[in-house]
Amino acid sequence: MDVMKLIELSFSYGNMPLMKDISLTLKAGELIGILGSNGAGKTTLFDLICKLKTPSSGRILTSAKRLVYLTQILTPPPLLRMGETGELIRHLNSNTHPNQSEMLARLAKWSPLLYKRYNLISQKKIAHCSYGEIRSYLTLTLLLLQSELIILDEPTAGVDAEFRHYIWLAINSARQEGASVLVSSHYTEEIAANCDRFYMLANQRLEAFESGGVFMSRFNAFSLDEAFIKASSHED
């Protein structure tokens, strides 16, 4: 079953095209990655899917009734505690939201260590949290809302290696419970290692790859990062 489908989607800023005739299908329970250099259009693509921007042409079809979106820019009120911000997000994002105890029980099931760290951050004021702590906490909160479609724009940016590991653990746990996830990242290895397949957004086009090996072979590269660099500058 298709949860979301992009059909020949195009978008331009004035006379400057950013993406042209791109297509993508996301099925129920799939985890799909989006790679792309800065300015390639990853955030704009997610904004289009979430109806924050309007495409120049093409269609976006989705059967998901509950969708959550982690954006690039996060500015929660600094005087609130992280747990209070989580409560606000929970109430704003779902008509049938799980209560706090249900969310924490799910998180403890995913990972007791992650549950402990999440709980500690929830007690801190936002003004005293690092950027990585804020991004990690909000990402985990969205993953716990039991949404059908979860869109995460670089959830591991600015996050330490330990928490990156736990975020991917949580992403995979959420999708094993039925969520469909679309995630972008600059870390080519984590996308290739965790996603069912991934797409490279470059030169206004979106190209699909079934694995990191296929990605490297496509651009005659010896590493994922080399393939990323070549893909970003490649033109047919």
Side-chain angles (χ1 to χ4, degrees), residues 85-121:
T85 302
E87 280 290 291
L88 180 61
I89 291 171
R90 186 169 65 86
H91 285 286
L92 289 175
N93 276 277
S94 176
N95 294 326
T96 57
H97 50 263
N99 62 43
Q100 185 72 1
S101 62
E102 290 172 335
M103 290 172 64
L104 291 175
R106 287 178 65 218
L107 188 57
K109 182 180 177 182
W110 292 354
S111 167
L113 289 175
L114 181 55
Y115 163 81
K116 181 179 179 181
R117 194 164 179 188
Y118 181 86
N119 219 19
L120 287 172
I121 295 175

Side-chain angles (χ1 to χ4, degrees), residues 47-119:
D47 285 350
L48 289 168
I49 294 169
C50 296
K51 299 181 180 180
L52 300 178
K53 290 184 171 69
T54 303
S56 305
S57 62
R59 292 189 294 163
I60 302 170
L61 306 177
T62 178
S63 64
K65 294 180 174 61
R66 298 188 307 277
L67 179 154
V68 292
Y69 177 26
L70 178 80
T71 63
Q72 278 276 7
I73 300 173
L74 303 175
T75 54
L79 296 182
L80 291 183
R81 297 189 185 277
M82 283 304 309
E84 293 171 328
T85 302
E87 280 290 291
L88 180 61
I89 291 171
R90 186 169 65 86
H91 285 286
L92 289 175
N93 276 277
S94 176
N95 294 326
T96 57
H97 50 263
N99 62 43
Q100 185 72 1
S101 62
E102 290 172 335
M103 290 172 64
L104 291 175
R106 287 178 65 218
L107 188 57
K109 182 180 177 182
W110 292 354
S111 167
L113 289 175
L114 181 55
Y115 163 81
K116 181 179 179 181
R117 194 164 179 188
Y118 181 86
N119 219 19

